[in-house]
């Protein structure tokens, strides 16, 4: 099958899955398939209670999953192309660490907590945005000072370890309730998204996707190395700053709504390359987007349909709780990547 055919299948799947999730992500006896179809076609099921469940409870997390799949997956792809490293992502390059650092400060440091109380229930969200801006400025400064792309990722990674140490110090001296609040942010959950959050998330996603479209030629040039790209007239420093800006911008804009969902930026590009069988970003970017949506929505359905057997694991009498989507993505994505790497290595040995 040619690349256009593969992209068409991925596109159709990325459209079907969100609608399927509206039906599967909850009690299928309470809200039937007919209710979902009626709501999508007419805007109502005829029952106000069911309308509230679909519109306010089921729909926002699914739209959030779609937007995260479209954006964070491509942010990971851009960073991997820039640094020529398949493990590069918003998490490994330290972008997420800046967000986590500011959120940790607001949660654990009382003076900052009181300062951010003016934002009410959105204090963690605003703290995350501040962390995203902080990460963006820091990465751009590093990109301007360091000549080589590998130098940028090394410095960013070391800074992320520095922030990790500071967060560990804050956690070690914190109250249990605050630790639980911070842990809830680090594992990532779509349940935090409300209908009012969708508009700013969508606007940021559109800005990011438009920026990526303008960078496709530059990303293709970087595939052959910075020196080769420079010989074709590409402004390496400008391109590097633009990639880091857009990756930092979308990470800082999206993560505060859902918490840390890191692995999508690694696994979606990793799966897209062998599937689409090219490194041409004209095909790789949309393939990564569609796979990101498929993975996020699939993990969202799994996180709601299957529960941790708490009483078996911990030996306590406690109701089962839904799995955080970040945990589902890390477990399934990690196993899938390990399998694909092992399969690829085995094939190389056989061919040899």
């Amino acid at each position: 099958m040619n690349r256009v055919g593969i992209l068409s299948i991925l596109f159709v799947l990325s459209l079907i899955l969100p609608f399927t999730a509206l039906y599967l992500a909850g009690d299928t006896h309470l809200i039937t398939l007919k209710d979902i179809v009626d709501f999508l076609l007419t805007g109502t099921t005829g029952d106000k209670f069911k309308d509230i469940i679909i519109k306010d409870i089921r729909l926002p997390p699914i739209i959030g999953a779609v937007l995260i799949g479209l954006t964070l997956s491509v942010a990971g792809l851009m960073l991997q192309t820039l640094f020529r490293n398949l493990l590069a992502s918003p998490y490994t390059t330290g972008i997420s660490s800046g967000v986590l650092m500011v959120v940790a400060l607001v949660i654990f440091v009382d003076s900052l907590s009181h300062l951010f109380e003016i934002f009410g229930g959105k204090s963690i969200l605003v703290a995350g945005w501040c962390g995203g801006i902080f990460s963006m400025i820091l990465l751009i400064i590093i990109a301007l000072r360091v000549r080589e792309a590998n130098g940028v990722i090394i410095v960013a990674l070391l800074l992320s370890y520095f922030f990790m140490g500071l967060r560990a110090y804050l956690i070690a001296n914190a109250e249990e309730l605050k630790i639980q609040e911070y842990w809830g942010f680090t594992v990532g959950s779509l349940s935090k998204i409300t209908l009012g959050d969708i508009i700013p998330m969508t606007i940021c996603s559109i800005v990011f996707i438009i920026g990526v479209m303008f960078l496709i030629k530059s990303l293709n040039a970087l595939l052959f190395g910075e020196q080769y790209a420079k010989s074709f007239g590409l402004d390496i420093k400008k391109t590097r700053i633009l990639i880091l800006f857009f990756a930092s911008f979308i990470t800082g804009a999206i993560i505060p709504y859902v918490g840390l969902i890191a692995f999508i930026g690694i696994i979606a590009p990793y799966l897209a390359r062998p599937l689409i069988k090219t490194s041409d970003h004209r095909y790789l970017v949309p393939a990564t987007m569609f796979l990101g949506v498929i993975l996020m929505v699939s993990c969202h359905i799994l996180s709601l349909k299957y529960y941790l057997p708490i009483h078996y694991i911990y030996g306590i009498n406690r109701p089962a709780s839904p799995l955080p989507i970040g945990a589902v993505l890390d477990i399934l994505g990690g196993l899938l990547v390990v399998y694909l790497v092992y399969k690829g290595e085995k094939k190389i040995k056989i061919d040899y």
Side-chain angles (χ1 to χ4, degrees):
M1 187 180 292
N2 61 26
R3 291 161 188 161
V4 175
I6 294 171
L7 285 175
S8 300
I9 292 172
L10 291 176
F11 175 68
V12 171
L13 284 174
S14 63
L15 284 179
I16 292 173
L17 265 177
F19 295 117
T20 306
L22 269 178
Y23 172 64
L24 293 177
D27 188 350
T28 54
H29 298 293
L30 176 64
I31 295 178
T32 64
L33 189 59
K34 181 181 180 301
D35 292 328
I36 299 296
V37 173
D38 289 342
F39 182 83
L40 293 174
L41 293 178
T42 64
T44 180
T45 62
D47 185 320
K48 289 184 178 180
F49 178 67
K50 291 181 178 180
D51 288 347
I52 290 171
I53 291 176
I54 295 174
K55 186 178 178 181
D56 295 335
I57 298 175
R58 293 193 183 184
L59 192 58
I62 293 169
I63 297 175
V66 170
L67 294 175
I68 292 166
L70 287 172
T71 55
L72 293 188
S73 58
V74 178
L77 172 65
M78 292 167 63
L79 293 170
Q80 289 171 18
T81 302
L82 174 64
F83 296 119
R84 301 173 64 83
N85 188 327
L86 295 180
L87 293 176
S89 72
Y91 180 74
T92 55
T93 51
I95 300 172
S96 302
S97 292
V99 177
L100 288 174
M101 187 69 244
V102 178
V103 168
L105 288 171
V106 171
I107 291 174
F108 296 127
V109 180
D110 290 336
S111 57
L112 283 175
S113 297
H114 296 321
L115 179 64
F116 275 77
E117 280 178 357
I118 59 173
F119 301 107
K122 298 291 185 181
S123 59
I124 299 300
L125 177 64
V126 175
W129 285 341
C130 293
I133 294 169
F134 170 70
S135 296
M136 187 192 317
I137 294 171
L138 196 60
L139 267 179
I140 290 174
I141 291 172
I142 294 170
L144 289 171
R145 296 286 182 179
V146 180
R147 292 184 180 180
E148 297 294 328
N150 285 332
V152 175
I153 194 171
I154 289 170
V155 174
L157 189 60
L158 291 173
L159 281 173
S160 70
Y161 282 120
F162 172 72
F163 292 146
M164 192 184 300
L166 291 178
R167 294 197 303 271
Y169 174 79
L170 291 172
I171 292 169
N173 296 278
E175 299 171 3
E176 186 176 346
L177 286 175
K178 291 185 176 182
I179 294 173
Q180 289 179 356
E181 183 182 0
Y182 176 73
W183 180 85
F185 186 86
T186 59
V187 293
S189 174
L190 296 176
S191 62
K192 304 170 186 176
I193 301 176
T194 64
L195 205 59
D197 297 332
I198 297 301
I199 293 176
M201 288 179 71
T202 303
I203 293 171
C204 291
S205 298
I206 291 170
V207 171
F208 171 75
I209 291 169
I210 291 172
V212 171
M213 295 300 110
F214 282 104
L215 285 171
I216 283 179
K217 287 185 178 180
S218 300
L219 289 167
N220 280 337
L222 287 172
L223 289 171
F224 302 98
E226 290 189 352
Q227 294 302 320
Y228 179 88
K230 194 181 292 184
S231 67
F232 278 83
L234 184 68
D235 189 333
I236 297 297
K237 186 167 285 190
K238 179 183 175 182
T239 302
R240 187 191 298 171
I241 289 171
L242 284 173
I243 291 172
L244 292 174
F245 170 79
F246 280 111
S248 303
F249 163 74
I250 198 60
T251 303
I254 295 293
I255 283 183
Y257 287 103
V258 295
L260 185 60
I261 299 179
F263 204 59
I264 191 68
I266 295 177
I267 187 174
Y270 188 90
L271 294 176
R273 289 185 182 91
L275 189 63
I276 208 73
K277 295 178 181 177
T278 182
S279 295
D280 189 341
H281 286 77
R282 290 177 300 173
Y283 302 100
L284 196 53
V285 167
T288 301
M289 285 182 175
F290 299 149
L291 277 169
V293 172
I294 292 167
L295 286 167
M296 285 297 302
V297 176
S298 299
C299 288
H300 174 59
I301 295 172
L302 288 172
S303 70
L304 294 177
K305 296 303 258 184
Y306 297 95
Y307 300 90
L308 279 173
I310 296 292
H311 54 289
Y312 288 120
I313 295 174
Y314 297 107
I316 57 176
N317 186 16
R318 176 181 160 190
S321 58
L323 288 165
I325 189 172
V328 177
L329 187 64
D330 289 349
I331 293 169
L332 296 182
L335 290 174
L336 183 59
V337 169
V338 169
Y339 168 74
L340 291 174
V341 170
Y342 173 76
K343 187 178 178 182
E345 291 288 335
K346 191 174 179 181
K347 184 178 178 181
I348 290 170
K349 288 179 183 178
I350 292 171
D351 292 343
Y352 178 75

